[in-house]
Amino acid sequence: MNVIDCIGVLLPFPFYYWLWTYPQTWVDLCGKVRDPSKVMAHVSHFLKLLQILTLFSVASISWPPLYFWPLFILGQFLNFSDSNYRVYQLLGESGTYYGVRFGKKIPWVTEFPFGYIQDPQYVGSIMSLLACLSWVPFLYIFLWVLGYVFMIWLESKEDPATRAKPLA
């Protein structure tokens, strides 16, 4: 176990916690010129890249076992469709990146997979991570999944009164 690698896997979750819990600080930091969801998307993509690089640094790639394919394909299907992210396709960038917490009006989506699976993006990501257990040590997959489970729990307790007020 390498502490730096563990931090690399967990890196995005304190950021997401901060934005979900204190959205007004992010809106204020972004100011009137920058869209808080767009800035969050850029930071999140960078943090996701660091997470993936961390997993590759501890992985030992070999031919995957049979369970890999159904788990990975179904997991990616929940995130990916027709060369567009399914979540992006249905929610847009603001819906995916906490727009509702930043004071934006985001329509409620019930189209598949949202009307059928609670938190489909997280579920798909967890399935994809579990598929990689033959390559990546359990600890790193466990920490990443634990981060997603924490975010599912945190986001399920959303209080509309704590949403940010958009800057005028």
Side-chain angles (χ1 to χ4, degrees):
M1 177 187 85
N2 183 336
V3 174
I4 299 297
D5 291 329
C6 290
I7 291 170
V9 168
L10 293 171
L11 198 56
F13 299 110
F15 176 66
Y16 299 149
Y17 173 83
W18 170 50
L19 298 188
W20 188 264
T21 308
Y22 305 103
Q24 190 66 54
T25 61
W26 185 251
V27 170
D28 294 343
L29 185 65
C30 289
K32 294 179 184 180
V33 179
R34 294 177 294 179
D35 178 338
S37 294
K38 186 172 281 309
V39 176
M40 179 188 178
H42 291 304
V43 173
S44 295
H45 291 141
F46 177 72
L47 294 174
K48 183 66 64 192
L49 176 64
L50 293 177
Q51 271 185 312
I52 291 169
L53 290 174
T54 299
L55 280 194
F56 273 111
S57 77
V58 298
S60 56
I61 306 296
S62 60
W63 188 255
L66 288 178
Y67 71 80
F68 171 86
W69 297 111
L71 267 177
F72 191 79
I73 290 169
L74 184 57
Q76 288 306 297
F77 173 76
L78 293 174
N79 289 320
F80 213 61
S81 174
D82 299 327
S83 300
N84 294 317
Y85 282 103
R86 183 76 176 144
V87 173
Y88 272 48
Q89 193 176 29
L90 295 172
L91 297 178
E93 187 172 63
S94 291
T96 304
Y97 291 101
Y98 292 179
V100 73
R101 297 294 295 151
F102 302 142
K104 296 180 179 185
K105 299 269 188 242
I106 307 295
W108 191 255
V109 176
T110 57
E111 214 175 305
F112 181 82
F114 290 96
Y116 304 88
I117 300 171
Q118 189 173 357
D119 300 304
Q121 186 176 19
Y122 289 137
V123 171
S125 296
I126 289 169
M127 291 173 74
S128 296
L129 284 168
L130 292 175
C132 296
L133 272 171
S134 66
W135 297 334
V136 179
F138 174 80
L139 174 66
Y140 303 104
I141 300 293
F142 175 75
L143 289 174
W144 197 328
V145 169
L146 192 63
Y148 282 143
V149 169
F150 173 73
M151 292 311 301
I152 291 169
W153 172 81
L154 180 69
E155 293 172 10
S156 74
K157 308 215 169 289
E158 203 250 343
D159 177 6
T162 63
R163 292 178 181 167
K165 309 297 182 257
L167 298 177

